[in-house]
Amino acid sequence: MENYPLFFVLFLTAITGGSMDVIPPGECRKCSDGSGCAYRYEFCNEWKTCANGEDENEDICRDLECAKGKMKCKDGIHCFPEYSLCDYFAYCKDGSDDDPEICKKRLCPTNTTKCNDGIVCYSQKDCCNGEEFCKTGDDEDIEMCKDFQCPPDHVKCADGLQCISTYYLCNGYTNCNDESDESKETCVDFQCPPDHVKCADGLQCISTYSLCNGYTNCNDESDESKETCVDFDCGEDKSKCHDGIQCIYKNGLCSGSPDCHDGSDESLEVCNDYKCPDHQVKCRDNIECNYTSDLCNHYTSCNDGSDEDEEMCKAIPCQNNQVKCANGLQCVYDSTFCDGLKHCSDGSDEEEEMCKAYVCPEWKRKCADGQQCVDEQSSLCNGNADCNDMSDEEPGFCRDYSCNDYNQKCSDGLQCISEYSLCDGHEDCTDRSDEDPDVCRERECDSDKVKCDDGIQCIHKSNVCNKYTHCNDKSDEDEDMCKARVCEPGEKKCADNYQCIYIDQVCNGYTDCNDESDEDAVACKEYQCPNGRVKCADEKECASLDRICDGREDCRDGSDEDKEKCKARECPDGSRKCSDDYRCIDDKHLCDGRHECSTGEDEDPDMCLNYECPVGFVKCKDGLQCVHVFYMCAGNFSGPGPHCKDGSDNDIEYCSAFECPVYHVKCPNGHACVHQSTICSGEQMCNDESEDEQQFCKTRSCGDIMSKCENGYQCVFDFMKCDGYADCSDGSDENPDFCLKNRICPVGMVKCANNVQCIYEMQFCSGFSDCSDDSDEDPKMCTKDRVCPTGMSRCSENNPMCIYDSWFCNDQPECKHSEDEHPDSCFNRPKGSKIFPWLT
């Protein structure tokens, strides 16, 4: 080793641990010059992260192992990705990743062939496409290409040597080297694809969306000519500029930036009387529309600067979930308060004294400095410091911290990682324990995963035999195994007898097999579509039955929206036809304020006045529009902006007479409806009201399923009492005296050994401690011989966790390894439910 200062030798030792240890993933090693820190992937990548370049020091790089999926260059210093080996592009400075001696000895993957120079491997997709992949040109060999059969949806150029996609025919750009794809012989009789039209020259096809948009797409410029555009209908979502030629989207009108070439969309004549869309307001110039969310955010959006006018910003109230900064000018989201980043221009959202007194939202937690709030679910003990004081990763705290559901501690007891990351071949724990070979050999893979041959790594079943290596030992792409492999139920083998794909992916218009056999024209004509799908007119493609005549072309030949067939077709129950194109629209889209039929008949006023809204929907005041009952008179809870076009869903007079839906009650203001559980819950839900003020709440009953806290005004659900978490602001729902003496657990819940806390029966022996005394995971109880309570069954013979019998096979895994959704468990078993048994 060269002569380095002592501090640098210490840095080198810290990096390598005095040996050739790999830096743990997620750890950022500090630079010795104080210029920052470097992660493992930033070492030896030929980019200086540390100012003094020590992360690129050759002695360090020689001692460091390459990360998984990378190999060392011949110089022993730098690493290159395995996928770049022998690809004609030198990744290593010394060119060793394309070393002819190495490449000539390397075997090509399945279904690929070596170029004559012995270096690169090419596939069928590289053959006869007009571009030489091999430097020796053998993938474009003339004799081979004459007899070469083009892949599905490709055609030969006139010279018989090159294949191009049919998508590129007659599009105005030559793709054939002999230019035959744009010749008169090819294009005069060529039929354009769906949603395309011919230019005036009769040769070129362009998208209908490109017509009269102000930008020339036809080589003869006919798509923007007066002859084409003067009588052209822009459509419902566009409008004509004053020149009578160009169409622009309506949402571009009066936006402050001209879209019309003549500037008419931003003119006084258009914009003075223009009504801004929902969630937008006019700037002071009465021309430009600006989003309400952009008002008073310290960034000028209006061209006249009026959206940040000081007097207006002081007077304007903030939107829902926003609060004013101390300067009285700027609104920021309340969830960003005290999060360690300044959002207010005056920094008041991170002011020290304010943040120390600030109560974090229930889903956040204070850092040790008492100033910063971080997300409790994702930030604590995750191996990355989210608190500025780094207390969320403090060893003492993390050793005592219990990981959230579906997360697990690393062996060092300091870090939580997702259970799904265990034994997946990628190190997530800084101590690497999640990929410990001994542990992983003993661990069962999740139901949607399989073990690699090394017995250590688990990969998704869908990644087996898909021509891309996922197992570190490469066993998932072993050719003999893949050809002998039997596909899972609902899957089908590709023609190469190698890859499995889902049955719904066969002949669906999209290539999923690497050999493209799933869209082979001959095979698809003979293929019988699965239940729920029918053949398109060309017999090459299957389309879903519920997508037939829905106004959107799914068949490439457009036959699923053929007007004559749609006219004769009967719409499914719960839908009806439009008279213009005979497509079927769902009844719930009738009179909903949005045009589904191009004629607007689904919003016809005469029809809508007499129309009866579907169950769960109610009429707006004008009697013309149906909205979901939960959006009517819901105040802030329904989000910004009206749902009724006439604004009646937030009209005080109309809402005062409106009857709230089930489980909802009126706010004290008498017009807004909120869920009964939110009244006097400590959470503000009513607009401009203090319904949680003590005086009102002290006189209000909590109802049958909630109880008053000792403070006399706050209500909490009965099942939340004595559950180990304080929901009352005074903590009385977790009072030990009450919980020990009086507590009766709600239906479906049982007490922990401390006789205080109630948890659901299925939380016992789940692998996660839910009782504060850990009694639900007592090893003496959680044995392989555990007997489940009545109406529950074990996840598996080796898993002591019990779940409700009605929850098996409900498409929602509850067991740790998804055994409750495994095909063996669900054979001859009816479809399960997703709700608690006692609620059915």
Side-chain angles (χ1 to χ4, degrees):
M1 186 182 291
E2 297 177 39
N3 244 344
Y4 292 109
L6 176 61
F7 74 85
F8 189 69
V9 175
L10 292 175
F11 173 79
L12 176 57
T13 306
I15 293 298
T16 64
S19 65
M20 293 192 294
D21 289 342
V22 178
I23 301 167
E27 183 176 334
C28 198
R29 292 289 171 89
K30 289 183 178 178
C31 303
S32 61
D33 60 3
S35 60
C37 65
Y39 287 96
R40 170 65 189 88
Y41 66 85
E42 293 177 309
F43 277 84
C44 312
N45 64 355
E46 300 186 49
W47 293 92
K48 290 181 182 179
T49 303
C50 297
N52 60 11
E54 58 199 26
D55 53 302
E56 299 300 316
N57 176 266
E58 291 188 1
D59 289 320
I60 292 174
C61 294
R62 284 194 180 92
D63 284 346
L64 274 179
E65 297 174 359
C66 293
K68 283 182 179 176
K70 292 191 173 186
M71 301 170 65
K72 271 273 171 84
C73 297
K74 202 170 186 178
D75 61 12
I77 299 171
H78 296 108
C79 300
F80 67 91
E82 286 182 0
Y83 64 77
S84 70
L85 180 65
C86 305
D87 64 354
Y88 284 142
F89 298 99
Y91 200 96
C92 297
K93 282 185 176 179
D94 59 12
S96 55
D97 55 314
D98 277 321
D99 185 321
E101 289 184 25
I102 295 173
C103 294
K104 284 176 181 178
K105 293 176 184 176
R106 178 174 173 258
L107 293 175
C108 286
T110 308
N111 292 334
T112 62
T113 309
K114 269 269 176 84
C115 296
N116 287 336
D117 59 11
I119 295 176
V120 175
C121 301
Y122 67 93
S123 69
Q124 287 286 93
K125 291 180 181 179
D126 301 313
C127 290
C128 309
N129 63 2
E131 297 178 13
E132 288 189 355
F133 185 81
C134 297
K135 288 186 176 178
T136 48
D138 27 316
D139 58 305
E140 299 297 320
D141 178 76
I142 292 176
E143 294 306 316
M144 176 190 73
C145 289
K146 282 179 180 177
D147 298 325
F148 183 75
Q149 186 176 351
C150 295
D153 298 321
H154 285 65
V155 292
K156 277 270 179 84
C157 298
D159 61 10
L161 303 178
Q162 183 184 351
C163 295
I164 67 164
S165 169
T166 53
Y167 180 79
Y168 295 131
L169 286 173
C170 308
N171 67 351
Y173 302 94
T174 53
N175 294 91
C176 288
N177 293 332
D178 63 5
E179 301 185 358
S180 59
D181 57 313
E182 301 300 319
S183 67
K184 283 187 177 181
E185 292 76 15
T186 300
C187 297
V188 163
D189 297 322
F190 179 73
Q191 187 175 351
C192 296
D195 295 323
H196 285 67
V197 292
K198 278 272 177 83
C199 298
D201 61 10
L203 303 177
Q204 184 184 350
C205 295
I206 66 164
S207 167
T208 51
Y209 298 109
S210 301
L211 287 171
C212 308
N213 66 353
Y215 301 94
T216 304
N217 291 276
C218 288
N219 293 331
D220 62 5
E221 301 186 359
S222 59
D223 57 313
E224 301 301 318
S225 67
K226 282 187 178 181
E227 291 76 14
T228 300
C229 297
V230 164
D231 296 323
F232 180 72
D233 182 3
C234 293
E236 189 179 321
D237 58 344
K238 292 183 178 181
S239 63
K240 276 268 175 82
C241 299
H242 278 190
D243 61 11
I245 295 175
Q246 186 184 354
C247 297
I248 66 164
Y249 285 100
K250 287 180 180 176
N251 60 14
L253 289 170
C254 308
S255 64
S257 302
D259 293 288
C260 291
H261 293 326
D262 61 9
S264 57
D265 57 313
E266 301 299 319
S267 67
L268 281 169
E269 184 183 350
V270 171
C271 295
N272 260 334
D273 298 323
Y274 178 70
K275 184 183 177 183
C276 297
D278 291 344
H279 318 317
Q280 292 187 29
V281 292
K282 278 276 178 80
C283 297
R284 187 177 293 156
D285 60 12
N286 199 35
I287 295 177
E288 185 182 351
C289 292
N290 185 37
Y291 284 97
T292 53
S293 58
D294 289 335
L295 295 176
C296 306
N297 66 354
H298 201 61
Y299 298 98
T300 302
S301 301
C302 289
N303 291 329
D304 62 7
S306 58
D307 57 309
E308 299 301 318
D309 178 77
E310 190 168 320
E311 292 304 314
M312 179 197 70
C313 289
K314 283 181 178 178
I316 194 172
C318 295
Q319 292 188 54
N320 187 35
N321 299 327
Q322 290 188 330
V323 288
K324 278 271 173 81
C325 298
N327 58 20
L329 302 176
Q330 188 181 351
C331 295
V332 298
Y333 287 100
D334 50 15
S335 61
T336 64
F337 259 60
C338 307
D339 65 352
L341 301 170
K342 291 180 180 178
H343 300 275
C344 290
S345 57
D346 60 5
S348 57
D349 58 317
E350 300 298 321
E351 197 273 321
E352 185 174 346
E353 291 306 315
M354 185 274 294
C355 285
K356 283 182 177 176
Y358 178 71
V359 179
C360 299
E362 60 181 20
W363 49 277
K364 286 191 172 187
R365 180 170 179 156
K366 275 272 175 84
C367 299
D369 61 9
Q371 290 180 223
Q372 186 181 351
C373 298
V374 295
D375 191 304
E376 188 163 8
Q377 290 287 325
S378 61
S379 298
L380 302 180
C381 306
N382 64 357
N384 298 302
D386 293 278
C387 289
N388 293 332
D389 63 4
M390 304 182 80
S391 59
D392 57 313
E393 302 300 319
E394 198 274 320
F397 167 74
C398 287
R399 281 194 185 94
D400 296 332
Y401 178 72
S402 295
C403 300
N404 297 314
D405 288 351
Y406 307 111
N407 284 266
Q408 183 169 313
K409 275 271 177 83
C410 299
S411 293
D412 60 10
L414 303 178
Q415 184 183 352
C416 296
I417 65 163
S418 167
E419 273 196 335
Y420 219 58
S421 300
L422 292 172
C423 308
D424 66 352
H426 305 282
E427 292 169 351
D428 296 280
C429 291
T430 53
D431 64 3
R432 305 184 217 166
S433 58
D434 57 312
E435 302 301 320
D436 180 275
D438 294 331
V439 174
C440 291
R441 284 191 185 96
E442 295 297 320
R443 184 178 183 273
E444 290 183 24
C445 296
D446 294 321
S447 61
D448 59 343
K449 293 184 176 183
V450 291
K451 275 268 174 84
C452 299
D453 283 357
D454 61 10
I456 297 171
Q457 184 183 353
C458 295
I459 66 166
H460 286 280
K461 288 178 180 177
S462 59
N463 288 332
V464 176
C465 304
N466 68 352
K467 300 289 178 74
Y468 300 98
T469 304
H470 294 83
C471 288
N472 293 329
D473 63 5
K474 301 183 179 180
S475 58
D476 57 313
E477 298 303 318
D478 178 78
E479 187 171 355
D480 293 334
M481 180 274 292
C482 289
K483 289 189 173 177
R485 176 176 175 248
V486 177
C487 294
E488 296 281 328
E491 290 185 339
K492 178 182 171 67
K493 271 269 176 90
C494 298
D496 60 9
N497 195 33
Y498 188 101
Q499 184 183 356
C500 294
I501 63 167
Y502 292 110
I503 287 175
D504 283 349
Q505 294 175 308
V506 178
C507 305
N508 68 346
Y510 302 95
T511 303
D512 295 284
C513 288
N514 290 320
D515 63 4
E516 301 186 355
S517 60
D518 57 312
E519 300 302 319
D520 178 77
V522 176
C524 285
K525 281 194 173 184
E526 297 175 359
Y527 179 69
Q528 186 174 349
C529 299
N531 289 337
R533 301 177 79 85
V534 291
K535 277 275 177 78
C536 299
D538 63 7
E539 296 189 347
K540 298 177 185 177
E541 195 176 338
C542 297
S544 178
L545 266 173
D546 58 9
R547 303 291 291 271
I548 304 294
C549 303
D550 67 349
R552 299 172 184 86
E553 290 182 355
D554 294 282
C555 294
R556 280 173 293 183
D557 61 9
S559 58
D560 58 312
E561 301 302 320
D562 180 88
K563 283 194 176 183
E564 291 305 314
K565 289 181 180 178
C566 289
K567 185 177 181 179
R569 182 175 181 263
E570 197 171 312
C571 290
D573 290 341
S575 63
R576 63 182 71 186
K577 276 184 184 170
C578 296
S579 61
D580 54 352
D581 53 9
Y582 306 109
R583 65 190 173 111
C584 299
I585 63 166
D586 198 299
D587 281 348
K588 68 183 180 184
H589 293 311
L590 293 174
C591 307
D592 65 351
R594 291 180 292 273
H595 291 295
E596 298 290 332
C597 299
S598 60
T599 57
E601 65 198 74
D602 55 314
E603 301 298 320
D604 177 69
D606 293 332
M607 185 266 291
C608 288
L609 275 173
N610 299 310
Y611 177 69
E612 187 176 335
C613 298
V615 176
F617 288 76
V618 292
K619 280 272 178 83
C620 296
K621 186 178 180 179
D622 60 11
L624 300 177
Q625 184 184 353
C626 297
V627 298
H628 199 286
V629 66
F630 293 124
Y631 290 142
M632 182 60 75
C633 306
N636 283 343
F637 190 68
S638 66
H643 290 273
C644 288
K645 285 189 170 181
D646 63 4
S648 59
D649 55 315
N650 283 316
D651 179 77
I652 293 176
E653 183 182 348
Y654 184 72
C655 288
S656 295
F658 178 73
E659 186 176 337
C660 296
V662 64
Y663 303 126
H664 286 65
V665 294
K666 283 276 175 75
C667 288
N669 60 25
H671 55 82
C673 296
V674 296
H675 195 276
Q676 61 187 23
S677 64
T678 64
I679 295 287
C680 302
S681 64
E683 187 176 352
Q684 191 81 20
M685 294 300 292
C686 292
N687 293 342
D688 305 320
E689 282 280 354
S690 53
E691 99 284 0
D692 291 331
E693 284 185 358
Q694 298 181 20
Q695 198 56 43
F696 169 79
C697 292
K698 280 180 179 177
T699 59
R700 185 181 181 277
S701 167
C702 291
D704 296 332
I705 58 174
M706 301 179 78
S707 302
K708 279 266 173 82
C709 300
E710 287 182 8
N711 57 29
Y713 59 87
Q714 187 180 354
C715 298
V716 299
F717 281 107
D718 289 335
F719 72 81
M720 297 172 80
K721 298 167 75 171
C722 305
D723 65 352
Y725 301 95
D727 297 286
C728 292
S729 58
D730 59 7
S732 58
D733 58 315
E734 301 302 318
N735 184 319
D737 294 334
F738 167 80
C739 292
L740 280 168
K741 292 178 183 177
N742 307 311
R743 180 64 169 152
I744 298 174
C745 294
V747 176
M749 302 182 82
V750 291
K751 277 195 177 178
C752 300
N754 59 18
N755 213 27
V756 174
Q757 186 180 350
C758 296
I759 66 169
Y760 288 104
E761 287 180 308
M762 65 169 291
Q763 290 177 288
F764 282 85
C765 305
S766 65
F768 303 98
S769 293
D770 294 285
C771 293
S772 56
D773 60 5
D774 297 333
S775 58
D776 57 314
E777 300 301 321
D778 185 347
K780 293 179 181 178
M781 172 182 61
C782 300
T783 64
K784 292 183 179 180
D785 300 324
R786 182 186 177 218
V787 178
C788 294
T790 304
M792 301 180 77
S793 300
R794 292 254 298 274
C795 286
S796 69
E797 290 183 7
N798 298 319
N799 189 341
M801 180 182 175
C802 300
I803 69 165
Y804 306 108
D805 290 336
S806 61
W807 282 12
F808 277 84
C809 312
N810 65 354
D811 297 326
Q812 186 170 298
E814 304 294 341
C815 295
K816 188 175 182 180
H817 299 300
S818 305
E819 299 98 327
D820 53 315
E821 301 302 319
H822 193 277
D824 292 342
S825 301
C826 296
F827 185 70
N828 282 339
R829 187 191 283 262
K831 186 85 169 175
S833 168
K834 294 184 181 180
I835 61 175
F836 287 110
W838 56 89
L839 296 179
T840 56

